[in-house]
Amino acid sequence: MARSTDRQFARMTQHSPSPALSVAMSVYNGERFLAPAIQSVLDQTLGDFEFLILDDGSTDSSRAIIEEFAKRDARIKPILRENRGLVASLNQLLGTATAPIVARMDADDICHPERFAKQIAFLAAHPDHGVVGSWSEDIDEHDRPWPTAGVDHALTNEEMQAVAARGGQLLVHPAVMYRKDIVLGVGGYHAAFRHCEDYDLWLRLASETKMANLPERLLRYRHYAEQVSKKYVTEQTVGAAIAHEAWRAREAGKPDPTAELETLPPVDQLDALFGEAGVASRVRARVARGILHSPTALRDEGFEILLQHIGDGGDREGLWRTALRLLRFGEPARALRLSAALAAA
């Protein structure tokens, strides 16, 4: 649908009380990539949506960009307030959405023009599925291809259940569309899992509904140094490991000890939290595997978790190469500490 047609559609439907879809975007200091992200939503071939854009107390020009777009397209409904963080923003967007289906979108990515049409058609044809994502095309800050060694996400619910069991990734958050009532029914996004709130949500939903991914690259997913997943690798990896332990507890018919938490405890306290020996060591092992190539994590508390993993007698595969990597990162003291720990193990 051409851009002019989108604007005509917006004028014709601005008084419609119930759009087919609510698009939920949270923005915090996103001025750099915000305009093309918004435009990619407005350029969708499916035009029957409300576009909720929540500015989470930005200090850059994000708010002005949102307001300018809102003047031009009545489907955009700005929510402008002080900073409360992403989890609070996502839950507020869920509570504000008027449509039964919600599409997530981030302020630095780009939608394929047919993303919404294809995903909403899938949900219409599969009423037993509550969540549908898609594959993504990885790009850098200049829209160039971003090399990745990862494999594409699983497609069917059966495949995703198997991936969940081994702690793998299930969905690309900004490429997801879901049924609002199902997400609200499991409590929305949990505050304790900051920076991995989506992974915790998928694992909780895995027991409540079917999920799938479309084998098409319906989102251009951007990588750059300042994004959250690069800045908070250790916290994100620890949280994801704890979310998987919570999944294991639920699958075993046990209560989820993280369900009411506002923040996650230190790793050393996890055995007590879960009432099971070995939880902390499993979390440390997963974190150790997840941070080996991250300069940020190897410079922060992730490094101490890695040393504790070695002290636990954990798998040391690839860790001598990590010591060399620390030298390349300009961390000779840490390289020496890691080498000494490996030699003593």
Side-chain angles (χ1 to χ4, degrees):
M1 183 181 293
R3 195 173 308 164
S4 60
T5 308
D6 268 338
R7 288 198 291 268
Q8 291 168 2
F9 184 92
R11 286 195 294 271
M12 289 188 294
T13 60
Q14 60 182 317
H15 301 297
S16 175
S18 54
L21 179 67
S22 295
V23 184
M25 174 190 284
S26 178
V27 183
Y28 177 70
N29 289 348
E31 63 180 3
R32 186 178 180 190
F33 306 112
L34 182 56
I38 292 175
Q39 192 61 59
S40 75
V41 172
L42 301 181
D43 287 343
Q44 292 292 296
T45 58
L46 184 151
D48 184 15
F49 59 79
E50 63 175 359
F51 190 1
L52 306 175
I53 309 180
L54 189 154
D55 182 77
D56 188 29
S58 294
T59 58
D60 64 3
S61 63
S62 295
R63 180 171 294 196
I65 294 171
I66 296 166
E67 290 176 326
E68 181 58 33
F69 270 98
K71 291 177 185 176
R72 292 186 262 146
D73 197 304
R75 292 172 295 179
I76 296 177
K77 298 180 179 180
I79 304 170
L80 311 174
R81 59 153 171 76
E82 75 286 354
N83 180 260
R84 298 180 196 168
L86 179 59
V87 174
S89 298
L90 292 174
N91 284 328
Q92 182 174 347
L93 287 163
L94 268 174
T96 305
T98 62
I101 296 175
V102 175
R104 276 284 294 116
M105 179 61 182
D106 279 348
D108 47 12
D109 300 322
I110 299 173
C111 285
H112 185 284
E114 295 186 1
R115 176 195 159 191
F116 293 171
K118 291 186 175 186
Q119 289 183 310
I120 210 164
F122 177 90
L123 290 177
H126 298 83
D128 57 341
H129 282 63
V131 184
V132 61
S134 79
W135 289 347
S136 62
E137 175 189 354
D138 295 87
I139 59 174
D140 69 8
E141 57 192 322
H142 304 293
D143 293 346
R144 298 174 303 205
W146 176 273
T148 176
V151 298
D152 287 319
H153 289 75
L155 297 176
T156 68
N157 183 67
E158 291 74 17
E159 292 169 345
M160 294 176 80
Q161 292 289 339
V163 172
R166 61 177 183 265
Q169 294 300 312
L170 301 170
L171 295 148
V172 179
H173 194 192
V176 159
M177 186 179 286
Y178 47 57
R179 302 186 196 277
K180 181 179 70 173
D181 60 344
I182 291 176
V183 175
L184 291 175
V186 299
Y189 296 88
H190 282 180
F193 291 93
R194 193 175 70 136
H195 304 313
C196 62
E197 65 284 332
D198 55 326
Y199 182 67
D200 167 66
L201 176 61
W202 312 145
L203 290 178
R204 285 185 282 120
L205 286 170
S207 301
E208 303 295 330
T209 187
K210 290 184 177 180
M211 303 187 292
N213 280 303
L214 299 182
E216 300 182 64
R217 304 194 188 284
L218 300 180
L219 183 89
R220 303 185 76 194
Y221 183 85
R222 195 179 302 278
H223 298 260
Y224 56 101
E226 296 81 18
Q227 70 186 132
V228 167
S229 60
K230 297 291 191 298
K231 293 170 64 177
Y232 301 101
V233 176
T234 298
E235 184 177 354
Q236 185 179 64
T237 309
V238 170
I242 297 174
H244 190 252
E245 290 296 327
W247 175 87
R248 290 181 71 254
R250 293 189 299 269
E251 288 293 297
K254 300 177 182 178
D256 178 355
T258 71
E260 304 300 326
L261 295 179
E262 289 296 318
T263 59
L264 296 176
V267 174
D268 287 344
Q269 297 178 17
L270 291 176
D271 286 7
L273 175 68
F274 281 84
E276 177 188 343
V279 174
S281 63
R282 287 198 300 268
V283 167
R284 283 193 286 265
R286 176 166 170 154
V287 173
R289 291 192 301 271
I291 67 171
L292 296 184
H293 297 274
S294 169
T296 301
L298 291 172
R299 290 185 177 116
D300 64 20
E301 65 271 20
F303 181 73
E304 298 302 326
I305 294 176
L306 178 59
L307 293 182
Q308 288 178 302
H309 165 69
I310 296 170
D312 288 342
D315 181 16
R316 294 180 291 162
E317 182 179 356
L319 294 189
W320 283 107
R321 289 192 296 274
T322 300
L324 295 174
R325 200 172 293 122
L326 280 164
L327 290 175
R328 292 199 300 272
F329 292 161
E331 298 287 343
R334 292 198 169 202
L336 184 60
R337 286 183 64 195
L338 178 55
S339 298
L342 290 169

